[in-house]
Amino acid sequence: MVYVSERLTNIGELESMIGAALQTEEELCCEMEKARASIDRIDTLACRLHSLLQQAKEFELCVERRKTVCADASSDLL
């Protein structure tokens, strides 16, 4: 009997990108709520957020596939 298993090997990279985007979005919201918000800071954060989201959109998942051959009880391989 043959079993095929698959796993994503680089999902952590995508999770990191999403985490960084969420943190940047939070910083952006905080800056925009300030009475004397810095337009330069808002622009920098908006550009960073756009870049992170673009990277996440274009991210390619890497799938690792493994085949395992297992002998069953009725075979001569035991």
Side-chain angles (χ1 to χ4, degrees):
M1 183 166 276
V2 176
Y3 293 98
V4 177
S5 62
E6 295 179 337
R7 72 180 187 107
L8 299 172
T9 59
N10 61 345
I11 192 73
E13 292 175 48
L14 181 58
E15 290 171 336
S16 293
M17 274 184 232
I18 293 169
L22 288 170
Q23 182 177 351
T24 302
E25 184 265 343
E26 187 175 315
E27 291 177 46
L28 181 58
C29 287
C30 288
E31 185 64 36
M32 292 187 323
E33 289 174 356
K34 290 180 180 177
R36 295 187 179 266
S38 166
I39 298 301
D40 288 339
R41 177 90 171 124
I42 289 172
D43 185 52
T44 298
L45 290 168
C47 287
R48 184 187 318 160
L49 180 58
H50 176 77
S51 175
L52 287 164
L53 291 173
Q54 194 66 35
Q55 288 175 38
K57 177 184 172 191
E58 295 170 358
F59 189 80
E60 291 189 29
L61 293 169
C62 183
V63 178
E64 179 182 84
R65 180 175 291 154
R66 292 183 179 184
K67 287 185 181 179
T68 304
V69 178
C70 298
D72 61 33
S74 63
S75 77
D76 294 336
L77 296 175
L78 291 176

